[in-house]
Short mmCIF file of all heavy atoms in Angstrom, two decimals:
data_model
loop_
_atom_site.label_atom_id
_atom_site.label_comp_id
_atom_site.label_asym_id
_atom_site.label_seq_id
_atom_site.Cartn_x
_atom_site.Cartn_y
_atom_site.Cartn_z
N GLU A 228 -5.82 13.23 1.76
CA GLU A 228 -7.25 12.98 1.96
C GLU A 228 -8.05 14.27 2.09
O GLU A 228 -9.13 14.41 1.50
CB GLU A 228 -7.44 12.10 3.19
CG GLU A 228 -6.96 10.67 2.99
CD GLU A 228 -7.18 9.78 4.19
OE1 GLU A 228 -7.38 10.31 5.31
OE2 GLU A 228 -7.14 8.54 4.01
N ASN A 229 -7.51 15.22 2.83
CA ASN A 229 -8.24 16.47 3.05
C ASN A 229 -8.39 17.30 1.79
O ASN A 229 -9.40 17.99 1.58
CB ASN A 229 -7.55 17.31 4.13
CG ASN A 229 -7.70 16.72 5.52
OD1 ASN A 229 -8.59 15.89 5.76
ND2 ASN A 229 -6.83 17.12 6.44
N GLU A 230 -7.37 17.23 0.92
CA GLU A 230 -7.38 18.09 -0.26
C GLU A 230 -7.92 17.42 -1.52
O GLU A 230 -8.23 18.10 -2.50
CB GLU A 230 -5.97 18.64 -0.51
CG GLU A 230 -5.48 19.53 0.64
CD GLU A 230 -4.14 20.17 0.36
OE1 GLU A 230 -3.84 20.44 -0.83
OE2 GLU A 230 -3.38 20.41 1.33
N THR A 231 -8.01 16.08 -1.51
CA THR A 231 -8.51 15.38 -2.71
C THR A 231 -9.81 14.62 -2.45
O THR A 231 -10.52 14.29 -3.41
CB THR A 231 -7.48 14.37 -3.24
OG1 THR A 231 -7.35 13.27 -2.32
CG2 THR A 231 -6.12 15.04 -3.46
N GLY A 232 -10.09 14.31 -1.19
CA GLY A 232 -11.28 13.52 -0.89
C GLY A 232 -11.10 12.04 -1.13
O GLY A 232 -12.06 11.26 -1.00
N ILE A 233 -9.90 11.62 -1.49
CA ILE A 233 -9.61 10.20 -1.75
C ILE A 233 -9.00 9.58 -0.50
O ILE A 233 -8.06 10.11 0.08
CB ILE A 233 -8.65 10.05 -2.93
CG1 ILE A 233 -9.27 10.61 -4.21
CG2 ILE A 233 -8.24 8.59 -3.12
CD1 ILE A 233 -10.47 9.86 -4.72
N GLN A 234 -9.54 8.42 -0.09
CA GLN A 234 -8.98 7.73 1.08
C GLN A 234 -7.65 7.10 0.70
O GLN A 234 -7.51 6.43 -0.34
CB GLN A 234 -9.95 6.67 1.59
CG GLN A 234 -9.52 6.07 2.92
CD GLN A 234 -10.59 5.21 3.56
OE1 GLN A 234 -11.67 5.02 2.99
NE2 GLN A 234 -10.32 4.71 4.76
N VAL A 235 -6.66 7.29 1.55
CA VAL A 235 -5.29 6.84 1.28
C VAL A 235 -4.91 5.74 2.27
O VAL A 235 -5.19 5.84 3.47
CB VAL A 235 -4.31 8.02 1.41
CG1 VAL A 235 -2.86 7.55 1.29
CG2 VAL A 235 -4.61 9.07 0.34
N LEU A 236 -4.27 4.69 1.76
CA LEU A 236 -3.71 3.65 2.61
C LEU A 236 -2.26 4.01 2.90
O LEU A 236 -1.46 4.16 1.96
CB LEU A 236 -3.80 2.30 1.91
CG LEU A 236 -3.24 1.09 2.68
CD1 LEU A 236 -3.97 0.90 4.00
CD2 LEU A 236 -3.35 -0.17 1.82
N ALA A 237 -1.92 4.16 4.17
CA ALA A 237 -0.57 4.56 4.57
C ALA A 237 0.08 3.43 5.36
O ALA A 237 -0.47 2.96 6.36
CB ALA A 237 -0.62 5.83 5.41
N ILE A 238 1.26 2.99 4.91
CA ILE A 238 1.93 1.84 5.51
C ILE A 238 3.37 2.20 5.85
O ILE A 238 4.11 2.68 4.97
CB ILE A 238 1.91 0.63 4.55
CG1 ILE A 238 0.47 0.28 4.17
CG2 ILE A 238 2.62 -0.57 5.18
CD1 ILE A 238 0.35 -0.73 3.05
N GLN A 239 3.77 1.94 7.07
CA GLN A 239 5.16 2.19 7.46
C GLN A 239 6.03 1.09 6.86
O GLN A 239 5.77 -0.10 7.08
CB GLN A 239 5.29 2.21 8.98
CG GLN A 239 6.66 2.66 9.47
CD GLN A 239 6.71 2.85 10.97
OE1 GLN A 239 5.80 2.44 11.69
NE2 GLN A 239 7.76 3.47 11.46
N ALA A 240 7.04 1.48 6.11
CA ALA A 240 7.88 0.48 5.44
C ALA A 240 9.22 1.07 5.05
O ALA A 240 9.32 2.26 4.72
CB ALA A 240 7.17 -0.04 4.19
N ASP A 241 10.23 0.23 5.08
CA ASP A 241 11.57 0.54 4.58
C ASP A 241 11.73 -0.20 3.26
O ASP A 241 11.78 -1.43 3.23
CB ASP A 241 12.61 0.08 5.60
CG ASP A 241 14.05 0.36 5.18
OD1 ASP A 241 14.27 0.65 3.99
OD2 ASP A 241 14.95 0.26 6.03
N VAL A 242 11.81 0.54 2.15
CA VAL A 242 11.81 -0.11 0.84
C VAL A 242 13.09 -0.88 0.53
O VAL A 242 13.17 -1.58 -0.47
CB VAL A 242 11.51 0.89 -0.30
CG1 VAL A 242 10.14 1.52 -0.12
CG2 VAL A 242 12.61 1.95 -0.41
N SER A 243 14.09 -0.77 1.40
CA SER A 243 15.30 -1.58 1.21
C SER A 243 15.14 -2.98 1.80
O SER A 243 16.03 -3.82 1.65
CB SER A 243 16.51 -0.89 1.84
OG SER A 243 16.42 -0.87 3.25
N LYS A 244 13.98 -3.26 2.43
CA LYS A 244 13.74 -4.55 3.07
C LYS A 244 12.62 -5.30 2.36
O LYS A 244 11.51 -4.78 2.22
CB LYS A 244 13.40 -4.36 4.54
CG LYS A 244 14.54 -3.73 5.35
CD LYS A 244 14.14 -3.53 6.80
CE LYS A 244 15.30 -2.93 7.59
NZ LYS A 244 14.94 -2.67 9.01
N ASP A 245 12.91 -6.52 1.95
CA ASP A 245 11.95 -7.30 1.19
C ASP A 245 10.66 -7.54 1.98
O ASP A 245 9.56 -7.45 1.43
CB ASP A 245 12.57 -8.64 0.79
CG ASP A 245 11.67 -9.44 -0.13
OD1 ASP A 245 11.37 -8.95 -1.24
OD2 ASP A 245 11.23 -10.55 0.25
N LYS A 246 10.77 -7.82 3.28
CA LYS A 246 9.57 -8.11 4.08
C LYS A 246 8.66 -6.88 4.17
O LYS A 246 7.43 -7.02 4.22
CB LYS A 246 9.94 -8.62 5.46
CG LYS A 246 10.66 -7.62 6.35
CD LYS A 246 10.97 -8.22 7.71
CE LYS A 246 11.70 -7.25 8.62
NZ LYS A 246 10.94 -6.00 8.89
N ASP A 247 9.25 -5.69 4.17
CA ASP A 247 8.45 -4.47 4.21
C ASP A 247 7.73 -4.24 2.89
O ASP A 247 6.56 -3.81 2.86
CB ASP A 247 9.32 -3.26 4.56
CG ASP A 247 9.71 -3.23 6.03
OD1 ASP A 247 9.62 -4.28 6.70
OD2 ASP A 247 10.11 -2.16 6.51
N ILE A 248 8.42 -4.51 1.79
CA ILE A 248 7.77 -4.39 0.47
C ILE A 248 6.61 -5.39 0.37
O ILE A 248 5.53 -5.05 -0.12
CB ILE A 248 8.81 -4.62 -0.65
CG1 ILE A 248 9.79 -3.45 -0.69
CG2 ILE A 248 8.12 -4.80 -2.01
CD1 ILE A 248 10.92 -3.62 -1.67
N GLU A 249 6.84 -6.60 0.84
CA GLU A 249 5.78 -7.61 0.84
C GLU A 249 4.58 -7.14 1.64
O GLU A 249 3.43 -7.34 1.23
CB GLU A 249 6.32 -8.92 1.43
CG GLU A 249 5.32 -10.06 1.41
CD GLU A 249 4.90 -10.45 0.01
OE1 GLU A 249 5.79 -10.63 -0.85
OE2 GLU A 249 3.67 -10.55 -0.23
N GLN A 250 4.83 -6.44 2.74
CA GLN A 250 3.73 -5.93 3.56
C GLN A 250 2.95 -4.84 2.83
O GLN A 250 1.72 -4.80 2.90
CB GLN A 250 4.29 -5.39 4.88
CG GLN A 250 3.23 -4.93 5.86
CD GLN A 250 3.82 -4.42 7.15
OE1 GLN A 250 4.69 -3.54 7.15
NE2 GLN A 250 3.36 -4.95 8.27
N VAL A 251 3.65 -3.97 2.14
CA VAL A 251 2.97 -2.92 1.36
C VAL A 251 2.05 -3.56 0.32
O VAL A 251 0.89 -3.15 0.15
CB VAL A 251 3.99 -1.99 0.68
CG1 VAL A 251 3.30 -1.03 -0.28
CG2 VAL A 251 4.78 -1.21 1.73
N ILE A 252 2.56 -4.57 -0.37
CA ILE A 252 1.76 -5.25 -1.41
C ILE A 252 0.55 -5.95 -0.78
O ILE A 252 -0.59 -5.78 -1.24
CB ILE A 252 2.62 -6.27 -2.17
CG1 ILE A 252 3.84 -5.61 -2.82
CG2 ILE A 252 1.76 -7.01 -3.21
CD1 ILE A 252 3.54 -4.67 -3.93
N SER A 253 0.79 -6.73 0.26
CA SER A 253 -0.29 -7.54 0.84
C SER A 253 -1.38 -6.68 1.46
O SER A 253 -2.58 -6.98 1.31
CB SER A 253 0.28 -8.53 1.86
OG SER A 253 0.88 -7.85 2.95
N LYS A 254 -0.99 -5.61 2.15
CA LYS A 254 -2.00 -4.74 2.76
C LYS A 254 -2.81 -3.99 1.70
O LYS A 254 -4.00 -3.73 1.88
CB LYS A 254 -1.34 -3.77 3.73
CG LYS A 254 -0.88 -4.44 5.02
CD LYS A 254 -0.45 -3.42 6.06
CE LYS A 254 -0.13 -4.09 7.39
NZ LYS A 254 0.25 -3.12 8.44
N THR A 255 -2.16 -3.64 0.60
CA THR A 255 -2.88 -3.00 -0.51
C THR A 255 -3.90 -3.97 -1.09
O THR A 255 -5.05 -3.60 -1.37
CB THR A 255 -1.91 -2.53 -1.59
OG1 THR A 255 -0.99 -1.58 -1.03
CG2 THR A 255 -2.65 -1.88 -2.75
N LEU A 256 -3.51 -5.23 -1.25
CA LEU A 256 -4.41 -6.22 -1.83
C LEU A 256 -5.55 -6.58 -0.89
O LEU A 256 -6.63 -6.98 -1.35
CB LEU A 256 -3.62 -7.47 -2.21
CG LEU A 256 -2.63 -7.30 -3.37
CD1 LEU A 256 -1.80 -8.55 -3.55
CD2 LEU A 256 -3.37 -6.95 -4.67
N GLU A 257 -5.35 -6.46 0.41
CA GLU A 257 -6.45 -6.68 1.35
C GLU A 257 -7.58 -5.69 1.11
O GLU A 257 -8.76 -6.03 1.20
CB GLU A 257 -5.95 -6.53 2.80
CG GLU A 257 -5.11 -7.69 3.30
CD GLU A 257 -4.56 -7.44 4.69
OE1 GLU A 257 -5.02 -6.47 5.35
OE2 GLU A 257 -3.67 -8.19 5.13
N ILE A 258 -7.20 -4.45 0.79
CA ILE A 258 -8.20 -3.40 0.54
C ILE A 258 -8.68 -3.43 -0.90
O ILE A 258 -9.86 -3.17 -1.19
CB ILE A 258 -7.59 -2.01 0.86
CG1 ILE A 258 -7.05 -1.97 2.28
CG2 ILE A 258 -8.63 -0.91 0.65
CD1 ILE A 258 -8.08 -2.18 3.36
N HIS A 259 -7.78 -3.77 -1.82
CA HIS A 259 -8.10 -3.75 -3.25
C HIS A 259 -7.72 -5.09 -3.87
O HIS A 259 -6.69 -5.20 -4.57
CB HIS A 259 -7.33 -2.61 -3.94
CG HIS A 259 -7.49 -1.27 -3.30
ND1 HIS A 259 -8.71 -0.61 -3.23
CD2 HIS A 259 -6.59 -0.47 -2.68
CE1 HIS A 259 -8.54 0.55 -2.62
NE2 HIS A 259 -7.27 0.66 -2.26
N PRO A 260 -8.50 -6.14 -3.64
CA PRO A 260 -8.12 -7.49 -4.10
C PRO A 260 -8.05 -7.65 -5.61
O PRO A 260 -7.47 -8.64 -6.09
CB PRO A 260 -9.21 -8.38 -3.49
CG PRO A 260 -10.37 -7.46 -3.21
CD PRO A 260 -9.76 -6.14 -2.88
N ARG A 261 -8.60 -6.71 -6.35
CA ARG A 261 -8.55 -6.81 -7.81
C ARG A 261 -7.13 -6.78 -8.34
O ARG A 261 -6.81 -7.32 -9.40
CB ARG A 261 -9.36 -5.65 -8.43
CG ARG A 261 -9.38 -5.63 -9.94
CD ARG A 261 -10.23 -4.47 -10.45
NE ARG A 261 -9.77 -3.19 -9.96
CZ ARG A 261 -8.72 -2.54 -10.50
NH1 ARG A 261 -8.04 -3.07 -11.49
NH2 ARG A 261 -8.37 -1.37 -10.02
N GLY A 262 -6.23 -6.14 -7.60
CA GLY A 262 -4.83 -6.08 -8.03
C GLY A 262 -4.29 -4.67 -8.04
O GLY A 262 -4.97 -3.73 -7.62
N ILE A 263 -3.08 -4.53 -8.52
CA ILE A 263 -2.37 -3.25 -8.52
C ILE A 263 -2.15 -2.82 -9.96
O ILE A 263 -1.63 -3.59 -10.78
CB ILE A 263 -1.04 -3.38 -7.76
CG1 ILE A 263 -1.32 -3.68 -6.29
CG2 ILE A 263 -0.20 -2.11 -7.90
CD1 ILE A 263 -0.21 -4.40 -5.58
N ASP A 264 -2.55 -1.60 -10.27
CA ASP A 264 -2.49 -1.10 -11.64
C ASP A 264 -1.26 -0.23 -11.91
O ASP A 264 -0.73 -0.23 -13.02
CB ASP A 264 -3.74 -0.26 -11.95
CG ASP A 264 -5.03 -1.03 -11.72
OD1 ASP A 264 -5.23 -2.04 -12.42
OD2 ASP A 264 -5.82 -0.63 -10.85
N ILE A 265 -0.87 0.54 -10.91
CA ILE A 265 0.19 1.55 -11.08
C ILE A 265 1.22 1.38 -9.98
O ILE A 265 0.88 1.25 -8.81
CB ILE A 265 -0.41 2.97 -11.03
CG1 ILE A 265 -1.37 3.21 -12.20
CG2 ILE A 265 0.70 4.03 -11.01
CD1 ILE A 265 -2.25 4.45 -12.02
N LEU A 266 2.49 1.38 -10.38
CA LEU A 266 3.58 1.35 -9.41
C LEU A 266 4.55 2.48 -9.73
O LEU A 266 5.02 2.60 -10.86
CB LEU A 266 4.32 0.01 -9.49
CG LEU A 266 5.63 -0.08 -8.70
CD1 LEU A 266 5.38 0.04 -7.20
CD2 LEU A 266 6.36 -1.39 -9.02
#
């Protein structure tokens, strides 16, 4: 954020756990309901 000026969504998650991945997706969609373009 400091070096690019872009606001970043930061989520604590363990990518080996399905529920954590689901949380990353859902919290991203709360902020950006249009969807996800890049993974």
Side-chain angles (χ1 to χ4, degrees):
E228 290 182 342
N229 289 341
E230 296 185 31
T231 70
I233 298 294
Q234 189 169 2
V235 173
L236 180 60
I238 303 170
Q239 189 172 12
D241 180 345
V242 299
S243 68
K244 296 179 179 178
D245 186 61
K246 66 180 179 60
D247 285 19
I248 291 175
E249 183 62 49
Q250 185 179 53
V251 172
I252 302 292
S253 62
K254 287 190 174 182
T255 300
L256 292 173
E257 286 176 12
I258 305 298
H259 308 296
R261 179 179 58 80
I263 295 155
D264 303 297
I265 296 166
L266 170 65

